[in-house]
């Protein structure tokens, strides 16, 4: 069973948390500028598909494609390079 001091402490922490969330929400443009350098998030549905499915939520950079181009029959401009980055530059 909680004593009175612990209960007041938990209520105070919850109030402080909600106050911080409210401040972040009211100043969200400034918070976005702080973290991204822009006051808006530029994201489309296809960006979300690319990020989640093709990039594994940012965990995959497709360096494994280098082993596919190690063969001597690959052209020099493609040999041992990241295929996804090469296609992205086209």
């Amino acid at each position: 069973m909680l004593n009175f001091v612990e209960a007041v402490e938990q209520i105070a922490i919850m109030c402080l948390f909600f106050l911080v969330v409210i401040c972040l929400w009211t100043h969200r443009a400034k918070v976005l500028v702080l973290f991204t350098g822009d006051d808006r998030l530029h994201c489309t549905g296809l960006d979300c598909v690319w990020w989640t499915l093709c990039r594994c939520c940012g965990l995959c950079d497709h360096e494994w494609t280098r082993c596919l181009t190690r063969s001597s029959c690959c052209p020099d401009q493609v040999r041992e390079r990241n295929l996804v980055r090469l296609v992205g530059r086209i």
Side-chain angles (χ1 to χ4, degrees):
M1 184 177 203
L2 292 175
N3 64 19
F4 180 72
V5 175
E6 289 178 354
V8 169
E9 182 179 311
Q10 287 183 358
I11 291 171
I13 290 173
M14 284 186 354
C15 290
L16 183 64
F17 174 76
F18 286 121
L19 183 66
V20 168
V21 169
I22 289 170
C23 287
L24 288 174
W25 181 256
T26 56
H27 300 290
R28 64 185 173 271
K30 292 178 183 177
V31 172
L32 279 173
V33 169
L34 177 68
F35 286 112
T36 65
D38 197 359
D39 64 344
R40 288 182 172 66
L41 288 177
H42 303 281
C43 183
T44 64
L46 291 177
D47 289 336
C48 293
V49 169
W50 170 257
W51 184 254
T52 55
L53 298 180
C54 299
R55 296 286 315 266
C56 301
C57 297
L59 298 174
C60 181
D61 57 358
H62 301 287
E63 288 298 317
W64 59 270
T65 60
R66 291 180 187 271
C67 69
L68 300 176
T69 59
R70 285 198 179 126
S71 174
S72 60
C73 63
C74 289
D76 287 338
Q77 66 262 22
V78 177
R79 188 172 297 136
E80 292 189 20
R81 305 225 15 225
N82 188 325
L83 291 176
V84 175
R85 290 186 185 173
L86 283 174
V87 171
R89 290 181 184 161
I90 294 177

